[in-house]
């Protein structure tokens, strides 16, 4: 009898940990990084690797005096304020553009994760406009402007019951090894965070989504988070997926919840 | 000297025999199997870049009538495709172990 009860308790505990709620996940992850980097406040991770390396941080801060994404924000503002053919515009969907803190969200009607980029195209479709290419310049510029307009807002997204499977799918993606090198996202950005991979310091999971889109010197232009996902995948020998694919949207959903409550600081510049 | 000639003769015969067994059909079948497994891995987001490259190279070699090269490449493709499928199955079982405990 005792053995049976013990088995039942064990099973319930096991199930509990297997389907931990997003807030428990977030708190556990925050504790992980607090222990890993006791001298770095959790909120400081919004600066990515520059929160972990004093020398590169100084160089980066000097670079931020004349940020390379400045023109992208200006161009994005022009696009944002340009009316559609039917007279409506982005303001009708996103007010003044300060909306990024609530993205991505789980759309109960569509039963899918809606990112800011997806919402931009939904907004266009509602006015009879052609969708923008997710790997194109215009959508990066628009989201750069909206990220700038949303600066300092705290990430405030929800994971409703119906959105849990999307959240879990994103979480599974993050913790699964893939590619010929057999690496998971978590290996680089948890276990090896703060360490060097060639000349680069690896950033922490927390704060990874707060500063997108990003002007990367490697790209010589501003680009979206999903472009970085593709790059990460290919760096470990895995095939990158389509921008705004369901898998990447779920991954963004999980990562954003892990940064819940942190201030937005996009767009940003990175090497 | 005679022994050396015999060994060389046997070696040549072995190579020729192997080449005889290779047909466009058998190599095409290997490529098809590699493509199938690669797609199985891709469906669950576990496709590998190297598999796609090897499949393309094997197809190119086959189109160029380089049967031995196409055979080697398609075998490699098959091996990496199988490894990617194995990885996806294994990760399904173990990914939760990497989550920090609450």
């Amino acid at each position: 009898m005792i053995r049976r009860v013990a088995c039942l308790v064990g099973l319930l505990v096991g199930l509990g940990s297997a389907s931990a709620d997003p807030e428990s996940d977030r708190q556990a992850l925050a504790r992980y990084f607090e222990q890993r980097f006791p001298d770095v406040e959790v909120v400081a991770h919004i600066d990515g690797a520059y929160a972990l390396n004093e020398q590169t941080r100084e160089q980066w801060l000097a670079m931020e005096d004349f940020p390379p994404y400045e023109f992208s924000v200006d161009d994005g503002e022009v696009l944002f304020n340009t009316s559609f053919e039917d007279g409506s515009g982005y303001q009708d969907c996103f007010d003044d553009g300060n909306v990024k803190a609530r993205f991505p969200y789980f759309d109960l009607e569509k039963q899918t994760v809606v990112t800011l980029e997806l919402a931009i195209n939904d907004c266009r479709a509602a006015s009879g406009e052609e969708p923008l290419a997710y790997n194109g310049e215009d959508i990066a510029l628009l989201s750069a402007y909206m990220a700038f307009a949303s600066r300092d807002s705290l990430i405030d997204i929800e994971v409703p019951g119906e959105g849990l499977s999307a959240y879990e799918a994103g979480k599974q993606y993050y913790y699964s090894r893939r590619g010929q090198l057999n690496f998971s996202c978590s290996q680089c950005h948890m276990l090896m965070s703060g360490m060097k991979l060639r000349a680069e310091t690896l950033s922490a999971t927390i704060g990874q989504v707060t500063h997108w889109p990003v002007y990367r010197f490697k790209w010589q232009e501003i680009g979206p988070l999903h472009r970085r996902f593709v790059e990460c995948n290919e760096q470990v020998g895995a095939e990158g997926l389509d921008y705004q694919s369901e898998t990447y949207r779920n991954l963004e959903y999980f990562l954003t919840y892990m940064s819940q409550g942190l201030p937005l600081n996009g767009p940003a510049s990175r090497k | 000297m005679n022994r050396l000639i015999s060994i060389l003769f046997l070696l040549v015969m072995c190579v020729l025999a192997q080449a005889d067994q290779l047909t466009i059909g058998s190599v095409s079948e290997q490529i098809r199997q590699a493509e199938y497994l690669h797609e199985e891995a891709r469906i669950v987001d576990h496709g590998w870049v190297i598999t796609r490259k090897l499949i393309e190279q094997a197809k190119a070699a086959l189109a160029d009538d380089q049967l031995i090269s196409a055979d080697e490449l398609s075998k490699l493709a098959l091996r990496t495709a199988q490894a990617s499928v194995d990885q996806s199955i294994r990760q399904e079982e173990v990914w939760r172990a990497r989550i920090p405990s609450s």
Side-chain angles (χ1 to χ4, degrees):
Chain A
M1 180 64 183
I2 292 171
R3 199 176 288 174
R4 219 176 264 178
V5 170
C7 272
L8 192 65
V9 169
L11 191 69
L12 287 172
V13 169
L15 281 175
S17 64
S19 56
D21 66 289
E23 187 52 22
S24 303
D25 287 344
R26 191 194 64 77
Q27 288 175 12
L29 197 66
R31 268 198 304 278
Y32 175 88
F33 285 111
E34 278 167 351
Q35 285 165 9
R36 186 167 176 80
F37 304 110
D39 299 331
V40 180
E41 280 187 61
V42 167
V43 69
H45 287 293
I46 63 171
D47 292 337
Y50 302 122
L52 305 174
N53 186 315
E54 193 57 39
Q55 206 177 0
T56 51
R57 181 176 179 79
E58 279 171 23
Q59 291 170 359
W60 172 68
L61 286 173
M63 205 161 60
E64 286 286 303
D65 286 342
F66 299 99
Y69 51 76
E70 213 167 17
F71 295 116
S72 303
V73 173
D74 292 345
D75 292 346
E77 185 175 12
V78 171
L79 285 175
F80 189 84
N81 291 319
T82 304
S83 296
F84 301 142
E85 273 192 23
D86 68 356
S88 67
Y90 292 112
Q91 296 97 327
D92 297 304
C93 304
F94 306 111
D95 298 323
D96 60 356
N98 179 4
V99 294
K100 198 166 163 47
R102 298 194 298 276
F103 283 91
Y105 67 90
F106 188 80
D107 190 309
L108 295 171
E109 202 174 309
K110 294 178 185 164
Q111 288 290 300
T112 196
V113 172
V114 175
T115 58
L116 184 59
E117 287 86 350
L118 214 68
I120 288 171
N121 270 345
D122 283 350
C123 179
R124 293 177 62 83
S127 295
E129 296 285 321
E130 288 291 314
L132 298 174
Y134 289 121
N135 59 354
E137 189 184 19
D138 282 0
I139 207 153
L141 297 175
L142 276 164
S143 59
Y145 170 69
M146 289 163 84
F148 190 76
S150 307
R151 268 193 179 181
D152 299 326
S153 300
L154 305 183
I155 292 179
D156 183 23
I157 65 163
E158 287 175 14
V159 180
E162 286 179 72
L164 265 177
S165 60
Y167 167 86
E168 281 289 318
K171 182 169 140 187
Q172 179 172 357
Y173 193 90
Y174 197 77
Y175 287 107
S176 295
R177 289 174 185 244
R178 61 193 75 246
Q180 195 183 8
L181 300 187
N182 203 29
F183 266 71
S184 66
C185 309
S186 64
Q187 275 177 289
C188 282
H189 297 290
M190 281 179 63
L191 299 178
M192 291 166 66
S193 56
M195 294 181 186
K196 291 270 190 185
L197 193 64
R198 293 184 180 152
E200 304 303 324
T201 306
L202 290 161
S203 61
T205 310
I206 282 186
Q208 273 183 330
V209 295
T210 60
H211 47 267
W212 289 88
V214 155
Y215 183 99
R216 292 198 85 203
F217 288 92
K218 188 179 174 183
W219 299 340
Q220 289 289 302
E221 61 184 355
I222 204 155
L225 178 62
H226 292 201
R227 182 170 176 181
R228 189 72 186 97
F229 287 165
V230 170
E231 207 173 55
C232 275
N233 278 158
E234 289 177 350
Q235 279 169 335
V236 299
E239 283 190 345
L241 310 176
D242 291 337
Y243 296 10
Q244 299 303 321
S245 60
E246 188 178 13
T247 301
Y248 278 172
R249 281 184 285 119
N250 291 343
L251 177 61
E252 184 177 338
Y253 194 35
F254 164 71
L255 281 173
T256 306
Y257 197 87
M258 292 303 99
S259 293
Q260 177 87 318
L262 295 181
L264 291 168
N265 58 338
S269 60
R270 292 289 185 271
K271 274 200 283 184
Chain B
M1 186 62 183
N2 282 348
R3 191 178 287 174
L4 186 65
I5 291 169
S6 303
I7 291 169
L8 281 173
F9 177 74
L10 280 172
L11 277 173
V12 169
M13 290 306 287
C14 280
V15 170
L16 288 175
Q18 194 188 12
D20 275 349
Q21 284 166 7
L22 284 179
T23 61
I24 292 174
S26 68
V27 175
S28 298
E29 177 58 19
Q30 271 172 190
I31 293 173
R32 195 196 62 76
Q33 283 178 18
E35 280 179 319
Y36 174 80
L37 284 175
H38 181 53
E39 193 52 35
E40 288 283 291
R42 274 173 48 87
I43 288 168
V44 287
D45 302 324
H46 272 274
W48 290 7
V49 174
I50 186 75
T51 310
R52 186 169 26 89
K53 279 185 186 167
L54 286 166
I55 289 170
E56 282 164 13
Q57 286 170 2
K59 281 180 172 174
L62 192 63
D64 215 18
D65 283 336
Q66 295 177 12
L67 214 51
I68 292 174
S69 174
D71 178 54
E72 286 169 0
L73 288 163
S74 62
K75 278 185 176 133
L76 273 175
L78 199 53
R79 211 176 300 157
T80 58
Q82 184 61 58
S84 63
V85 171
D86 292 347
Q87 182 188 57
S88 71
I89 294 166
R90 173 82 180 132
Q91 291 310 300
E92 191 73 35
E93 295 163 359
V94 301
W95 71 272
R96 285 188 184 280
R98 301 193 186 99
I99 303 168
S101 52
S102 307

